[in-house]
Amino acid sequence: MSDSSTTNASTFGRLVINKIPEVTSNPLGDNRIELVVPANKIRDVVTLIDEEIQDVLPESMFGVDLENDQYELIYIFWSYTSRLLLQLRVSLEGEKPEIESTCDIFPGLEWHEREVREMFGIEVKNHPDPRLLLLPDELDGAYPMRKRFQTDRSRLNETGITPPKPRPEPGGDSQ
Amino acid sequence: MGFFSVLGDFFQILKHTFRQVFKRPFTYFYPFEDREYPERTRGRHIHVRKSCTACAQCVRICPVVAIRMDKEDKKYEKDCALYFDYTRCVFCGLCVQACKFEALFHTPVVDMSEGDREDLIYGPEKIETLDREPLKWRGRRFR
Amino acid sequence: MSPDILEDAMELWFGPQHVSAHGWATKLTLVGDYVVECDPNAGYFHRSAEKVLEYKNFRQGALILERMCMLEAFLAEYPYVAAVEKIAEIEVPERAKVMRTIMMEMSRLHSIQFWWGQFNAELGFFTMALWPWVDREYSLDAFEELTGSRHTVSYSTPGGVKYDFTEKSMKQLNRALDRFEDRLPKFRDMQMGSPTFRARTENIGLYDVKQGLKWGLSGPPMKACGIPMDLRKDDPDPNLAYDMVDWEVPITENPEHPGQSDALDRMEQRFAEAETACEIIKQLIPQIPEGPIIDPKARGKANRLPEGEAYARVEGTRGITTLWLKTQDKAQTAYRAKIRGPCIASYYALKDLVPGSKFADFIVIFGSLDPYPGWWDR
């Protein structure tokens, strides 16, 4: 890598906010920054990251189920020369929320997006390969990482102590 | 590569061969002898009924739900019977660490084979006794 | 690619029963001896660890993590423990920090020794398969003497480590290191001097830095390109003692193709990694401070955690290994835990890396990236 210019977290945060004013930022300290991105702007922000930071590595991308049809998507990028950790947070809502695919910019995110789709039911638009990644075919559409998916807890009854209270069940039918 | 260097290699090979012939084998004559296991080996458990207080800490901490307790079955004042399911146990050692009354220990016995799956669920009689003295029996060489 | 070439194409499933495919399957489309399409399939090893972690409390969780990768069991369980410590604000004693670092480098060494043998066995170079595995036995003996288990050590716990070093375990550790350092030059001669091995690995699986970063590759596959990308230096964990040691990030630069790496460079890089790991342990052993190995308050603190999010990262044997943890207030279990294994990127990379190469080189390419299915299937 010939480019040795380093990027500071707060400088980069300001740069993104200047170009896309809908984005807000929270510093996480220690050259880490979190950007809260609206769902329709995610492609713009990821493109900007790709253009501005030379050696950026798509580290991870995953969903979080906040219950009551609220979801969060978190993208994590890491740049080793500037030692900068970027965390993008996208809030989503609805029974089957949608997000634009970013895997043509970072191919490494392709499998993470497939996983989010099968585990949380977050539809990834324009994904080149929307098959199941980890799950067997019979769990297609069951979205097991959602909180409302009930797992088999019968083994706990075998211990002989009183079983712990069941999780509070949010809206929606149990699978 | 001259003749003498090949001869040198040849003698080196012969040296190794002769050394191996008069050495003891590295392997063990297994069912009759075995290696010595370290003190901390996490093998099958032993339950000391006398100091058990039926606090159920081991049952609660077990990550794979391998322990079942029977509070009705009492030998002493406040103990309980434990059933260990060795088809599930992962030998993580959390139950032994959770026990504050020195009633549960690991033993260095790691070879537990049975003809039937059901026999791997160790009941109270089996878990309280060792069918063999592990350290006396181990580490003995017959050859 | 014209359609008439594809008429003779053959679909071949490599795995899941194949011995070189360790329980995972890749669909290859072959024309003659050449691979034209590679479709890696994940999911054969899926144990839903992330869902299981939502039901396990914070002392049990590390056990689930170490079963993600048995070869680097301590490295795999450490990010979870570090994330719990970050949220609960647990202080770790100095002695535990050094012991963790030693154990971490030891499991890195063990993982490299295993990979080495496995890679050579896949290439049919059986002498080099069995020799490192002899040394690996000594590493396993050191683990066993210290923790009581050979693979799944379950050594770290929130607030410190579980077992203290004893005289006997130090002896085993030194024996494993001395033996390995003694034999490393011999291995290097044997491996790098083998014309068959060189012919099979040179210019195979070539990629450059830019491509690797786009796929998300990290660790030895990237360091083999000549860039010093190492979390131990770049983003050191506060509860590890890498700052007590004087060491350099091992890199491999090949003058024939600068900024790129082939399978031979990646083998060379593993040698450098193993040397660095030995060096770090050797420097740390005389520096172990006296004191407690666990914070006595940690057990109570780790029972119920406050609300928070933590992102713990560690440089694993195969690359960046991280865990993202979210908890709710007074939580006994994690609300969401995301495991990021390094091999998800290296397995995905096969999709672009393999097409165009010969079928026999496929094994060289994936073997040199050191994939372990537990890391992408979780």
Side-chain angles (χ1 to χ4, degrees):
Chain A
M1 302 290 284
S2 55
D3 188 33
S4 60
S5 65
T6 56
T7 319
N8 187 283
S10 51
T11 326
F12 183 74
R14 250 176 280 136
L15 190 140
V16 175
I17 292 169
N18 278 345
K19 291 216 171 150
I20 305 156
E22 289 94 334
V23 178
T24 52
S25 72
N26 306 315
L28 298 174
D30 209 14
N31 216 14
R32 298 177 173 210
I33 194 167
E34 182 187 85
L35 301 176
V36 182
V37 182
N40 52 353
K41 292 285 174 203
I42 184 70
R43 269 192 74 86
D44 301 343
V45 176
V46 174
T47 316
L48 204 63
I49 291 170
D50 185 31
E51 283 165 1
E52 292 298 323
I53 309 176
Q54 286 297 311
D55 57 331
V56 69
L57 171 92
E59 198 168 290
S60 189
M61 180 252 188
F62 51 92
V64 183
D65 181 8
L66 299 178
E67 300 179 81
N68 306 325
D69 279 346
Q70 302 270 336
Y71 298 93
E72 257 179 9
L73 277 183
I74 293 183
Y75 293 69
I76 293 171
F77 295 94
W78 163 248
S79 151
Y80 77 95
T81 42
S82 36
R83 302 183 180 188
L84 162 72
L85 191 90
L86 271 174
Q87 179 172 323
L88 311 185
R89 190 182 287 261
V90 184
S91 295
L92 297 170
E93 215 172 321
E95 167 59 33
K96 267 205 143 194
E98 285 187 338
I99 186 90
E100 284 273 348
S101 167
T102 49
C103 68
D104 51 331
I105 309 166
F106 287 107
L109 290 177
E110 184 181 330
W111 278 13
H112 294 282
E113 281 175 355
R114 266 168 79 178
E115 196 187 326
V116 160
R117 189 188 147 269
E118 69 180 354
M119 295 290 184
F120 289 94
I122 296 171
E123 205 55 53
V124 182
K125 281 189 280 182
N126 305 328
H127 194 277
D129 185 13
R131 285 177 299 164
L132 294 179
L133 179 69
L134 300 175
L135 293 181
D137 288 340
E138 56 267 28
L139 276 178
D140 192 3
Y143 309 134
M145 283 302 285
R146 285 186 174 180
K147 288 281 170 187
R148 71 177 74 151
F149 184 89
Q150 294 293 310
T151 49
D152 178 17
R153 310 271 285 155
S154 59
R155 252 165 75 167
L156 279 185
N157 302 333
E158 300 168 18
T159 54
I161 53 173
T162 44
K165 279 182 216 143
R167 283 173 164 276
E169 210 171 303
D173 41 34
S174 59
Q175 298 284 341
Chain B
M1 200 185 276
F3 171 71
F4 285 103
S5 69
V6 176
L7 204 67
D9 285 353
F10 185 68
F11 275 116
Q12 212 167 4
I13 292 164
L14 274 185
K15 197 180 86 189
H16 275 279
T17 317
F18 276 110
R19 198 188 282 164
Q20 292 300 325
V21 165
F22 297 109
K23 253 189 183 172
R24 269 214 301 217
F26 279 103
T27 46
Y28 294 89
F29 196 46
Y30 169 58
F32 308 108
E33 59 172 14
D34 201 350
R35 60 185 279 248
E36 222 168 319
Y37 287 91
E39 207 180 313
R40 282 170 180 164
T41 300
R42 299 201 291 257
R44 60 152 285 198
H45 303 79
I46 186 153
H47 181 207
V48 184
R49 277 290 268 278
K50 210 170 180 178
S51 43
C52 182
T53 58
C55 62
Q57 283 302 316
C58 49
V59 185
R60 279 178 213 276
I61 199 74
C62 184
V64 288
V65 202
I67 314 175
R68 181 165 74 83
M69 68 186 289
D70 188 357
K71 283 184 180 169
E72 310 298 310
D73 187 351
K74 282 197 192 307
K75 237 188 202 172
Y76 299 95
E77 257 175 56
K78 47 188 179 177
D79 64 331
C80 67
L82 289 185
Y83 295 77
F84 273 74
D85 186 347
Y86 283 112
T87 55
R88 288 175 184 173
C89 183
V90 293
F91 302 102
C92 59
L94 279 180
C95 47
V96 176
Q97 283 158 22
C99 188
K100 288 181 183 133
F101 302 96
E102 305 206 329
L104 195 62
F105 297 99
H106 280 297
T107 61
V109 177
V110 291
D111 41 356
M112 299 172 294
S113 53
E114 302 282 354
D116 192 354
R117 278 180 78 86
E118 296 296 312
D119 293 342
L120 273 174
I121 302 171
Y122 279 30
E125 303 84 31
K126 246 176 153 179
I127 203 74
E128 284 155 29
T129 50
L130 275 176
D131 49 353
R132 55 184 186 232
E133 187 62 51
L135 291 174
K136 263 187 195 167
W137 190 64
R138 296 298 147 116
R140 221 167 83 205
R141 287 208 169 236
F142 287 85
R143 280 184 293 170
Chain C
M1 205 182 314
S2 64
D4 36 310
I5 295 180
L6 283 176
E7 257 174 36
D8 319 329
M10 180 176 78
E11 268 182 14
L12 182 76
W13 277 90
F14 192 86
Q17 280 93 5
H18 193 281
V19 258
S20 289
H22 323 191
W24 43 279
T26 310
K27 195 171 86 178
L28 299 167
T29 312
L30 301 172
V31 173
D33 206 10
Y34 287 88
V35 183
V36 292
E37 206 185 318
C38 174
D39 179 19
N41 274 270
Y44 287 84
F45 216 50
H46 182 53
R47 290 163 292 178
S48 60
E50 286 165 11
K51 190 76 177 174
V52 172
L53 281 178
E54 289 176 12
Y55 293 95
K56 299 287 168 207
N57 69 28
F58 297 109
R59 289 175 63 206
Q60 297 167 345
L63 296 169
I64 311 296
L65 259 296
E66 81 185 3
R67 277 155 183 85
M68 292 304 100
C69 184
M70 304 276 282
L71 306 178
E72 39 174 8
F74 183 80
L75 269 165
E77 74 179 356
Y78 182 68
Y80 184 81
V81 174
V84 171
E85 278 167 0
K86 265 184 198 172
I87 294 182
E89 292 169 356
I90 296 171
E91 296 273 321
V92 181
E94 285 296 317
R95 186 178 168 85
K97 286 183 190 176
V98 179
M99 285 163 79
R100 279 177 176 187
T101 319
I102 291 176
M103 214 35 200
M104 190 165 259
E105 293 305 311
M106 205 57 209
S107 60
R108 188 188 311 276
L109 194 62
H110 165 248
S111 184
I112 289 172
Q113 282 165 347
F114 182 86
W115 168 80
W116 213 339
Q118 175 206 311
F119 182 44
N120 280 301
E122 281 162 6
L123 297 187
F125 191 6
F126 263 94
T127 317
M128 264 317 280
L130 295 177
W131 283 18
W133 281 3
V134 174
D135 292 357
R136 174 177 168 256
E137 285 299 315
Y138 289 90
S139 309
L140 287 177
D141 281 350
F143 287 153
E144 194 185 18
E145 192 63 52
L146 179 59
T147 67
S149 185
R150 281 158 70 82
H151 277 110
T152 48
V153 290
S154 110
Y155 188 57
S156 67
T157 182
V161 292
K162 282 182 186 167
Y163 307 98
D164 205 347
F165 281 142
T166 57
E167 211 172 291
K168 217 174 163 191
S169 72
M170 286 313 280
K171 216 177 90 192
Q172 291 276 27
L173 191 67
N174 281 320
R175 195 175 80 159
L177 283 176
D178 289 341
R179 196 186 154 88
F180 184 66
E181 283 201 327
D182 183 35
R183 280 162 62 109
L184 197 64
K186 208 188 271 181
F187 288 169
R188 196 190 282 273
D189 277 1
M190 181 103 160
Q191 185 89 66
M192 293 301 171
S194 161
T196 329
F197 177 73
R198 290 190 84 95
R200 283 208 67 180
T201 50
E202 257 172 339
N203 292 321
I204 300 295
L206 208 64
Y207 58 81
D208 60 16
V209 179
K210 195 99 195 158
Q211 241 176 329
L213 285 173
K214 287 269 179 185
W215 290 325
L217 280 181
S218 52
M222 288 312 284
K223 281 183 262 181
C225 297
I227 57 166
M229 174 181 175
D230 198 315
L231 284 189
R232 289 176 285 179
K233 276 260 196 262
D234 295 343
D235 189 11
D237 194 290
N239 292 333
L240 293 176
Y242 285 112
D243 49 346
M244 286 168 67
V245 197
D246 177 32
W247 65 287
E248 297 237 327
V249 178
I251 54 167
T252 306
E253 270 175 308
N254 197 331
E256 282 172 28
H257 37 72
Q260 291 182 315
S261 80
D262 59 8
L264 188 70
D265 294 342
R266 297 196 276 276
M267 172 56 92
E268 185 85 55
Q269 175 63 27
R270 264 32 174 266
F271 275 104
E273 293 270 328
E275 265 172 10
T276 315
C278 279
E279 196 191 307
I280 292 175
I281 305 173
K282 286 258 160 175
Q283 284 190 33
L284 275 177
I285 284 175
Q287 293 191 54
I288 304 174
E290 290 297 317
I293 56 164
I294 185 163
D295 178 13
K297 287 181 200 155
R299 194 164 161 169
K301 275 185 184 172
N303 267 349
R304 284 188 183 275
L305 257 60
E307 189 176 355
E309 286 175 11
Y311 190 50
R313 319 161 75 214
V314 56
E315 176 79 19
T317 319
R318 295 161 175 78
I320 297 175
T321 311
T322 70
L323 192 124
W324 192 89
L325 189 70
K326 181 187 170 77
T327 53
Q328 282 179 324
D329 200 17
K330 287 183 185 162
Q332 273 187 311
T333 58
Y335 186 78
R336 170 88 167 102
K338 161 75 186 177
I339 308 158
R340 192 265 186 199
C343 298
I344 189 165
S346 47
Y347 193 39
Y348 173 79
L350 294 185
K351 199 173 181 174
D352 298 336
L353 202 52
V354 171
S357 62
K358 279 189 176 172
F359 175 60
D361 294 339
F362 170 64
I363 297 168
V364 181
I365 295 171
F366 82 65
S368 67
L369 288 171
D370 195 2
Y372 193 84
W375 277 132
W376 63 75
D377 283 350
R378 302 186 291 278

